[in-house]
Amino acid sequence: METANILFRQLFEKASSTYTYLIADKKTKEAVVIDSVRETAERDINLIRELGLKLVYILETHIHADHVTGAHLLKKATEAKTMVSKSAKISCSDGEFSDGDSIKFGSLTLKCISTPGHTDTCTSFYMEGFVFTGDALMIRACGRTDFQQGSPEVLYDSVKNKLYKLPDTTLVYPAHNYNGLEVSTIGEEKKWNPRLGDSISKENFIEIMKNLKLSYPAQIDVALPANMKCGNLET
Amino acid sequence: METANILFRQLFEKASSTYTYLIADKKTKEAVVIDSVRETAERDINLIRELGLKLVYILETHIHADHVTGAHLLKKATEAKTMVSKSAKISCSDGEFSDGDSIKFGSLTLKCISTPGHTDTCTSFYMEGFVFTGDALMIRACGRTDFQQGSPEVLYDSVKNKLYKLPDTTLVYPAHNYNGLEVSTIGEEKKWNPRLGDSISKENFIEIMKNLKLSYPAQIDVALPANMKCGNLET
């Protein structure tokens, strides 16, 4: 959602189908990254340099189980601060955020909206016009709820009572998509999300999520411990 | 580049790393698709339906050698008109465009800019603020020039004398990227494109392109004949 003031890049990591976001104030060049991936950290560091940006914060929507964060590598290269949800209770990060907090860089502000359910510490980041939803609300989908203190009841409330209260035109940028879709809107998801559309009751949703029969997350035993250390594999 | 008037979706097809573009007038709902892929045509048809759009044109930046176009399937589902460059001299399409032509849908206009060199009939589509460059100018890259009447001399002139005359802030949306990058700008490519940056002479570029040592395009013997029939595999 590039604008006159905002430099915006959505970046894709193929192996885990993860979207990383780079957002910057075009004037001051101050920037944040959301949900970086270790395998593509060098690409992102290079892009930040080419664009002449000053990375100030490295944010995570949640503690990922499917890939190792690029936070440690990005921090080493840029001296930006790593930031995670306070509720995640991990000690490696430079800063924390909680529900309702504002993360400011240049003239821009991301507002933290606690949206648990995929994990108990998921956060979405909102800026007028768009929202980064991590694995809470995805395009015609949502994150699984059977690991990391996930809960379909809690996720349903996060989406319906928080994300769906945003304007219908708000662009939805998720942490993943597996079908080549990059963006949606709140209005579209209300209408077309097969799990979380307006016509789906909480009971329906819980039933859907309980019957997904998903396999054990392939990367979880590597990714979770690494991400609890902000992606630092050296210690 | 979603705006108040423009609905914009960049869509990705993983096997060929192709970007398809869906652009619509938000008010009238009239839409065009650029560079669709047969494998993801159903996804795109479904999205067009969900968004309530009326597809009017199915455009190709060029006759692709690495994937079969989704044009035939999109046309069957929507009754939109297929459009290709007049210089491609293929008989299956409903309409043609030439350098300088305007393609209008709703209140929006795409201007056709002939940018040969990857093939002899490549066209870029320009709308104020952004340009769809096909395989002419790609992100820190460009299309190969060793098939389909490709020519490094001609491609160099297309990029330097046409695309690089657009404003530096123009967003560049290519037909492919293999590293998870989705968009660039004319200014960035002038500065950082290792083949077509400002410091690269035509002689340098020709030398670079002659020494790429690329393998024979894996899909060309299937894709080219299919795309000469607008992706119709039934005849």
Side-chain angles (χ1 to χ4, degrees), chain A residues 48-146:
Chain A
I48 287 163
R49 284 192 185 135
E50 287 180 350
L51 295 171
L53 302 178
K54 177 180 162 41
L55 192 68
V56 289
Y57 294 121
I58 301 156
L59 309 173
E60 309 285 344
T61 55
H62 62 294
I63 308 304
H64 304 275
D66 63 337
H67 67 271
V68 177
T69 174
H72 178 71
L73 297 178
L74 280 166
K75 180 182 162 155
K76 278 214 301 189
T78 63
E79 301 185 357
K81 290 185 176 172
T82 56
M83 298 270 281
V84 297
S85 170
K86 185 174 184 178
S87 58
K89 294 178 186 150
I90 64 175
S91 58
C92 57
S93 73
D94 300 310
E96 297 172 330
F97 47 76
S98 299
D99 188 41
D101 281 358
S102 290
I103 296 170
K104 291 175 188 291
F105 53 108
S107 64
L108 307 177
T109 302
L110 284 171
K111 191 173 174 192
C112 302
I113 307 173
S114 175
T115 50
H118 167 60
T119 76
D120 58 343
T121 68
C122 287
T123 301
S124 296
F125 301 107
Y126 177 72
M127 192 178 282
E128 196 179 314
F130 48 110
V131 64
F132 303 94
T133 53
D135 289 11
L137 179 62
M138 292 158 73
I139 303 172
R140 315 293 190 263
C142 64
R144 63 196 293 170
T145 54
D146 51 347

